[in-house]
Amino acid sequence: MTRIISKLPQVGTTIFTVMSAVAAEVGAINLSQGFPDFDTSPDLIKLVNNAMKNGHNQYAPMPGVMALREQIAKKTEKLYGAVYDPDTEITITAGGTQAIFTAITATINPNDEVIIFEPAFDCYAPAIKLAGGIVKSLELAPPDYRIPWDMVKRLINNKTRMIILNTPHNPTATILSQEDIDELTAIVRNQDILILSDEVYEHLIYDGETHRGMARYPELQQRSFVVASFGKPFHATGWKVGYCMAPAYLMQEFRKVHQFLVFSVNTPLQHAIAEYLKDENNYLSLPGFFQQKRDYFREGLEGTKFELLPCSGTYFQSVRYTSITDEKDSDFALRMTRDFGVASIPVSVFYTQGTDHHVLRFCFAKRQETLDKAVDRLMLVHG
């Protein structure tokens, strides 16, 4: 056997794969992995079929179908007042994860330091390490998971190359406040620091709150990669179509990597999504659609022994279970899946040190009957 020196020796199978597999094995309701159990719009599927029938089945242009990039530019300007050139500043990607990996690979060099906030989505740190960068993680704590900006300031030095943000935040369902934006702006001003902003849940914000993405703030926009996705808002996570927006000088470097990573993305889907975006109600209606599910699920959980944590965005609801057991969250999540038939994600897996605040994450992007069954089972969970 040929000797291999692993570039990611600490990395195993992701928790999403593990929990979904256990859920399938025991027939549990899967509220772990972040995907809907309802289908995407029949209108969108019809548009995909039409695109295929109309011959859009060969390679798309490397940066993406221009019609889709133009619709993204229009949507971004309408919502955030930000102008991006679809020719030089928007690239269609094979989902948000590919966009994140590409941005990091294009700009992070050996020994560059990258600040991330934990609990963090699990693709950030591995991508930084593969690029030779150094992960500088700051831990956030429940119930509100606010960013400690005084600690961020202490981490900044001449090796700091990037700050990675995620708003709305997975797994905590928090969003950036105006105070956060002000603090961030002051920290990066006159610094040679890039921002990578993971905004795949940009349309899933509740209670009339504002999405404070980087495109909204010119001073931040000029140094930011903004990553978004169509899988989450259009209930089609298996399509793996997303995009990245950045100033031309950053996008030029992004595309150098992108062209050798995937080159181009599924052509008929791009044409279909471009057409679908022309009806702005297809994304403007999303906050109301998912807030109804959030409120319904939270109402049901109030009858259980779980403590509800705030949920301002995404389609995830986190809960504390300290009144039920003092088990490790990973052990409790597995036991709950096997014994009570509901799969969740233990939030400690999103911390480098495995910090365990006894918090689980549920996905509520499910049909009402699925949520009803899950709540009925969760009612039975006692100490």
Side-chain angles (χ1 to χ4, degrees), residues 297-306 308 375 378-380 382:
F297 188 49
R298 285 176 67 90
E299 184 179 347
L301 288 176
E302 284 173 357
T304 71
K305 286 187 170 293
F306 294 97
L308 291 167
V375 168
L378 293 172
M379 291 275 194
L380 303 175
H382 299 286

Side-chain angles (χ1 to χ4, degrees), residues 167-181:
T167 186
H169 185 265
N170 173 20
T172 69
T174 57
I175 59 175
L176 292 181
S177 67
Q178 187 57 50
E179 181 183 355
D180 291 322
I181 295 296

Side-chain angles (χ1 to χ4, degrees), residues 360-377:
L360 302 178
R361 189 200 77 176
F362 295 116
C363 174
F364 58 78
K366 308 295 178 183
R367 293 171 295 174
Q368 185 167 316
E369 53 266 39
T370 302
L371 297 176
D372 285 339
K373 290 178 182 177
V375 168
D376 286 344
R377 296 180 185 187

Side-chain angles (χ1 to χ4, degrees), residues 25-45:
E25 174 192 334
V26 302
I29 296 170
N30 190 358
L31 303 188
S32 61
Q33 200 167 358
F35 62 86
D37 69 347
F38 47 87
D39 208 350
T40 189
S41 163
D43 293 337
L44 182 51
I45 291 175

Side-chain angles (χ1 to χ4, degrees), residues 15-24 28-40 121 170 201 204 229-240 289-290 293 314-316 343-345 361-367 370-371:
I15 189 64
F16 308 107
T17 300
V18 170
M19 295 306 299
S20 288
V22 174
I29 296 170
N30 190 358
L31 303 188
S32 61
Q33 200 167 358
F35 62 86
D37 69 347
F38 47 87
D39 208 350
T40 189
F121 188 60
N170 173 20
Y201 297 100
L204 278 61
S229 170
F230 296 113
K232 299 297 192 295
F234 295 154
H235 328 312
T237 59
W239 289 5
K240 296 298 289 180
F289 175 81
F290 279 106
K293 290 186 175 296
T314 75
Y315 48 45
F316 301 116
S344 61
I345 294 292
R361 189 200 77 176
F362 295 116
C363 174
F364 58 78
K366 308 295 178 183
R367 293 171 295 174
T370 302
L371 297 176

Side-chain angles (χ1 to χ4, degrees), residues 78-79 276-286:
K78 174 183 175 62
L79 293 179
Y276 196 64
L277 286 175
K278 290 179 179 179
D279 182 352
E280 62 183 29
N281 189 58
N282 287 326
Y283 53 87
L284 294 180
S285 63
L286 290 167

